[in-house]
């Protein structure tokens, strides 16, 4: 009810926004208290009615006040047009409010949104903390916690402070919207900045979770690569036997680089001298990968020489055959330039 | 003729009149006016009139705490308000009798 009173009073105030500030403040000073009396009467009579149902729309209330106090209608043409536009938008929202509410089991959508308000306060506090951390930061990446000077603890404390502050501000403005127009405008502008920042943060986080940074940093372009499912390539002779140490080349004699292991890897010369990138292009290229089972090959392939000899002659792909990131050749793993081909 | 048009001129007097014997808070005053027959009167008119009469120095206010519900702001006539009520009443009676005479002759 208090929120309804504050909202109604704020809307009446907005409809009187063309009056000189002191006259308006004079007029509105007692309005919330008065509306609270009216609300109490509604309650005493059994409740159920909203202020707007009892008193008419805030714009009508404002017009009546204006007439009673002998303030001229005083709308400039622009203000009148803006007023009509605002009430049109309000009427449309009112319709949506009533129509969409029942869809989610509420009388009005606004009722549900009002319940979400504290959640917004918390979110707002977090966003402001993140924004401050971003403005503060010195080259740190973007995380989900604000960090100051790389300190998570300090970040947490700041986060808590901003969230508590936001809740305090939310409760205050919900109970009584700031009377001064300038304060309201400033609050609105700050909210807009926070919302825009929040959307940016959300987009950036989404981008990262989708792994676009990974795509940019891998040598083989994974995007649109029809071979990105290929982990290794086995070249078989006509007898169904795997040809060891096979190489694939294209029409120009350049190596065809396929598979997870057949990748460019960095090497570093002894003592840090000489760095470079090489292609590992001998197939099969993953040293610890078992050969695939080939049901269409009449002759059962011989086990790979590097594979663990199994009791049966047929090698089976085992769970350990799946390559894990740890098998990726890394610069530190290779001690020197390993040239192949 | 619309009653609301007539009411505009005498709303001050009407509000002063219902406060003559008993102090009252906003909604209570509205109810008294409606009970007295001014059924078309709006809440905003009463609230605005009370604000105006208070600003003009005809009313004093005091707050009565309530155990349940909000505190209520009571309005009371002060001496200036009583004088205003008396003078306004005289003007109205004279005006009304003139109008009555006028209407009787025409009818």
């Amino acid at each position: 009810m208090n929120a309804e009173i504050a909202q109604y009073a704020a809307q009446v105030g907005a409809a009187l926004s063309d009056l000189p500030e002191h006259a308006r403040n004079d007029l509105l000073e007692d309005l919330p208290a008065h509306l609270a009396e009216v609300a109490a009467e509604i309650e005493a009579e059994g409740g159920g009615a909203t202020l707007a149902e009892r008193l008419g729309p805030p714009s009508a209330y404002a017009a009546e006040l204006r007439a009673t106090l002998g303030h001229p209608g005083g709308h400039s043409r622009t203000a009148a047009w803006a007023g009509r536009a605002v009430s049109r938008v309000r009427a449309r929202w009112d319709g949506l409010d009533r129509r969409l509410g029942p869809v989610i089991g509420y009388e009005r959508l606004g009722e549900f949104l009002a319940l979400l308000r504290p959640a917004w306060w918390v979110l707002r506090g977090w966003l402001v903390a993140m924004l401050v951390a971003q403005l503060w930061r010195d080259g740190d990446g973007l995380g989900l916690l604000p960090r100051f000077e790389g300190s998570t603890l300090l970040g947490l404390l700041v986060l808590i402070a901003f969230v508590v502050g936001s809740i305090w501000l939310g409760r205050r403005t919900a109970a009584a919207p700031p009377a001064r127009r300038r304060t309201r405008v400033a609050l609105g502008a700050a909210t807009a900045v926070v919302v825009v920042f929040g959307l940016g943060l959300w987009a950036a986080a989404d981008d990262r979770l989708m792994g676009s940074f990974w795509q940019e940093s891998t040598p083989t372009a994974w995007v649109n690569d029809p071979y990105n499912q290929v982990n290794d390539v086995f070249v078989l002779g006509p007898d169904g036997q795997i040809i060891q140490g096979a190489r694939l080349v294209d029409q120009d004699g350049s190596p065809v680089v396929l598979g997870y292991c057949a990748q460019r890897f960095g090497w570093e010369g002894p003592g840090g001298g000489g760095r470079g990138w090489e292609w590992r292009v001998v197939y099969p290229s993953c040293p610890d990968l078992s050969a695939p089972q080939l049901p269409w090959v009449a002759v059962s392939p011989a086990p790979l020489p590097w594979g663990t000899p199994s009791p049966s002659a047929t090698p089976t792909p085992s769970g350990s055959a799946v390559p894990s990131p740890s098998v990726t050749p890394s610069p530190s793993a290779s001690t020197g330039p390993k040239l192949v081909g | 003729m619309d009653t609301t048009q007539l009411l505009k001129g005498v709303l001050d007097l009407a509000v002063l009149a219902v406060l003559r014997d008993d102090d009252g808070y906003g909604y209570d005053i509205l109810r008294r006016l409606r009970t007295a027959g001014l059924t078309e009167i709006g809440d905003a008119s009463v609230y605005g009139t009370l604000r105006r009469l208070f600003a003009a120095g005809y009313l004093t206010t005091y707050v009565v705490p309530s155990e349940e519900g909000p505190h209520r702001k009571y309005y009371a006539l002060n001496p200036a308000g009583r004088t205003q009520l008396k003078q306004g009443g005289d003007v109205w009676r004279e005006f009304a009798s003139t109008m009555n005479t006028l209407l009787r002759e025409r009818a």
Side-chain angles (χ1 to χ4, degrees):
Chain A
M1 205 64 187
N2 279 331
E4 191 190 348
I5 289 168
Q7 193 191 8
Y8 194 93
Q11 284 174 2
V12 171
L16 296 173
S17 57
D18 60 305
L19 295 185
E21 185 147 325
H22 74 95
R24 197 163 55 98
N25 288 347
D26 244 21
L27 203 53
L28 297 176
E29 190 184 25
D30 261 0
L31 189 58
H34 177 77
L35 292 177
E37 280 177 12
V38 176
E41 294 298 330
I42 294 173
E43 204 99 316
E45 288 162 21
T50 64
L51 277 181
E53 280 163 10
R54 181 61 63 98
L55 302 174
S59 55
Y61 196 92
E64 198 181 323
L65 261 183
R66 202 188 275 279
T68 308
L69 282 127
H71 286 295
H75 274 308
S76 70
R77 194 175 295 174
T78 330
W81 179 86
R84 278 198 302 276
V86 166
S87 48
R88 257 203 309 276
V89 169
R90 211 161 263 164
R92 182 140 325 153
W93 162 245
D94 198 57
L96 268 180
D97 197 22
R98 283 175 189 279
R99 225 167 316 131
L100 293 183
V103 176
I104 51 170
Y106 287 82
E107 199 173 318
R108 282 162 167 272
L109 185 60
E111 259 176 61
F112 175 67
L113 293 181
L115 290 177
L116 289 185
R117 237 187 230 171
W120 158 243
W121 298 338
V122 172
L123 180 65
R124 180 176 61 181
W126 175 70
L127 283 175
V128 173
M130 290 300 290
L131 181 60
V132 171
Q134 280 299 299
L135 296 175
W136 189 277
R137 80 189 181 121
D138 36 16
D140 281 8
L142 188 71
L144 288 177
L145 264 185
R147 282 186 181 80
F148 294 90
E149 312 285 348
S151 160
T152 309
L153 182 66
L154 186 60
L156 263 178
L157 291 177
V158 171
L159 175 64
I160 291 169
F162 274 107
V163 168
V164 170
S166 175
I167 294 171
W168 175 84
L169 181 73
R171 283 181 59 89
R172 222 181 103 107
T173 49
R180 288 170 65 106
R181 191 185 178 79
R182 215 173 303 159
T183 321
R184 283 204 306 271
V185 170
L187 259 179
T191 305
V193 168
V194 169
V195 167
V196 168
F197 171 73
L199 288 176
L201 189 68
W202 185 64
D206 182 62
D207 205 35
R208 284 189 185 211
L209 289 174
M210 288 300 289
S212 64
F213 74 107
W214 178 243
Q215 288 175 7
E216 281 157 16
S217 65
T218 43
T220 334
W222 285 21
V223 216
N224 299 327
D225 179 2
Y227 301 110
N228 60 8
Q229 296 300 315
V230 176
N231 275 341
D232 202 353
V233 173
F234 296 88
V235 183
L236 306 180
D239 57 351
Q241 295 298 318
I242 289 169
I243 297 175
Q244 306 292 343
R247 291 170 205 171
L248 302 182
V249 291
D250 68 5
Q251 68 288 337
D252 300 322
S254 308
V256 175
V257 182
L258 284 176
Y260 185 77
C261 301
Q263 278 188 15
R264 204 161 61 144
F265 66 98
W267 52 265
E268 202 171 317
R275 287 159 194 240
W277 295 96
E278 284 303 332
W279 297 99
R280 179 187 270 204
V281 286
V282 176
Y283 297 102
S285 57
C286 296
D288 51 357
L289 200 69
S290 330
Q293 244 179 342
L294 305 165
W296 46 269
V297 174
V299 191
S300 61
L304 293 171
W306 54 75
T308 340
S310 55
S312 80
T314 330
T316 52
S318 63
S320 66
V322 183
S324 63
S326 64
V327 303
T328 319
S330 64
S332 62
S334 66
T335 46
K338 198 188 284 178
L339 290 178
V340 277
Chain B
M1 194 175 204
D2 196 353
T3 326
T4 48
Q5 288 296 318
L6 288 173
L7 206 52
K8 267 184 193 166
V10 292
L11 194 54
D12 287 15
L13 198 54
V15 169
L16 289 173
V18 296
L19 285 173
R20 184 180 49 201
D21 297 327
D22 279 316
D23 304 345
Y25 60 93
Y27 197 84
D28 179 38
I29 294 166
L30 173 71
R31 199 156 36 195
R32 286 186 210 172
L33 288 167
R34 283 190 175 159
T35 311
L38 299 174
T39 48
E40 284 171 46
I41 207 160
D43 185 82
S45 304
V46 174
Y47 169 74
T49 304
L50 284 169
R51 291 294 300 167
R52 193 151 46 96
L53 290 173
F54 176 73
Y58 298 134
L59 300 177
T60 50
T61 64
Y62 55 95
V63 172
V64 175
S66 152
E67 278 181 19
E68 70 231 61
H71 297 343
R72 282 175 174 152
K73 190 172 199 172
Y74 274 74
Y75 291 88
L77 286 187
N78 60 17
R82 295 201 180 275
T83 314
Q84 179 66 17
L85 173 60
K86 191 181 173 311
Q87 285 173 355
D90 290 344
V91 172
W92 171 257
R93 272 187 287 273
E94 199 181 313
F95 178 76
S97 93
T98 308
M99 285 302 294
N100 284 339
T101 317
L102 202 60
L103 290 172
R104 210 166 22 241
E105 280 172 3
R106 288 287 163 91

